[in-house]
């Protein structure tokens, strides 16, 4: 399934530069709500947003190779009743990233699980994450709140809190 919004950079002389989405809503998408692929995708801003997905496995926001990406002041809701969500936000080889959102898992009482709220991979740099969770927002049973190549990053600073308070997880590396 193609994302509801898909930005694809083709490289070479072509690029996607300075794209802004403000006060947008992606409700009940059957798969990924927002996707970025290819190369030469610079300065994408998604602010004051809501993304909601009925998916049982695909990331709700997925970016590969994006540079100067902001995903801020929003809420991402997974409404899957069953199955495993691999990540709400999946970033691969992205640089200069600022992610700040509130996550909510709906349907978790009926069997849905999540592996990672945010998944990032080697090749990325200058990434900042602030993650807040709303009830119900279970700890991932087999993964991490934020994973780096499928492991607990551990090497960057983390501000750990008692779940379901207003204090967010803050991650910088």
């Amino acid at each position: 399934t193609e994302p509801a919004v898909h930005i694809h950079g083709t490289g070479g002389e072509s690029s996607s530069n300075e794209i802004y989405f403000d006060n947008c809503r992606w409700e009940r998408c059957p798969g990924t709500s927002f996707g970025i692929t290819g190369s030469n995708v610079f300065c994408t801003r998604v602010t004051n947003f809501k993304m909601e997905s009925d998916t049982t496995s695909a990331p709700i926001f997925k970016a590969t190779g994006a540079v100067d990406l902001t995903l801020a002041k929003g809420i991402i809701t997974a409404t899957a009743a069953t199955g495993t969500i691999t990540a709400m936000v999946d970033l691969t080889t992205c640089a200069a990233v600022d992610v700040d959102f509130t996550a909510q898992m709906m349907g978790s009482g009926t069997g849905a699980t999540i592996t990672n709220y945010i998944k990032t991979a080697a090749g990325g740099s200058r990434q900042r994450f602030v993650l807040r969770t709303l009830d119900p927002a279970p700890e991932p049973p087999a993964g991490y709140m934020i994973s780096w190549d499928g492991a607990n990053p551990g090497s960057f600073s983390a501000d750990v809190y008692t779940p379901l308070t207003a204090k967010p997880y803050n991650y910088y590396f």
Side-chain angles (χ1 to χ4, degrees):
T1 303
E2 285 294 317
V5 172
H6 186 191
I7 300 171
H8 179 73
T10 58
E13 297 295 318
S14 174
S15 69
S16 299
N17 195 13
E18 296 201 28
I19 300 173
Y20 297 83
F21 295 87
D22 188 42
N23 290 316
C24 294
R25 304 287 182 261
W26 292 273
E27 303 262 354
R28 302 193 54 100
C29 294
T32 300
S33 296
F34 200 105
I36 299 174
T37 58
S39 59
N40 287 355
V41 178
F42 301 103
C43 192
T44 304
R45 304 283 184 263
V46 182
T47 55
N48 304 309
F49 66 89
K50 179 181 180 191
M51 294 181 191
E52 179 183 299
S53 179
D54 291 338
T55 186
T56 56
S57 61
I60 297 169
F61 183 93
K62 182 170 177 60
T64 302
V67 176
D68 194 9
L69 169 66
T70 299
L71 181 67
K73 300 178 186 173
I75 185 166
I76 297 178
T77 303
T79 60
T82 60
T84 300
I85 300 164
T86 57
M88 284 187 171
V89 174
D90 188 342
L91 306 169
T92 304
T93 60
C94 295
V97 173
D98 188 2
V99 174
D100 182 344
F101 74 96
T102 301
Q104 184 174 27
M105 274 284 290
M106 301 298 290
S108 60
T110 57
T113 60
I114 188 162
T115 306
N116 309 285
Y117 283 90
I118 300 173
K119 178 181 166 191
T120 188
S125 63
R126 299 182 321 249
Q127 298 183 358
R128 175 186 169 269
F129 302 115
V130 176
L131 171 63
R132 295 168 185 82
T133 57
L134 293 176
D135 185 25
E139 291 284 333
Y144 305 97
M145 295 299 278
I146 297 179
S147 76
W148 178 269
D149 278 344
N152 187 351
S155 62
F156 58 89
S157 64
D159 208 359
V160 181
Y161 75 109
T162 304
L164 308 180
T165 66
K167 188 175 180 185
Y169 285 98
N170 291 294
Y171 295 89
Y172 308 93
F173 56 97

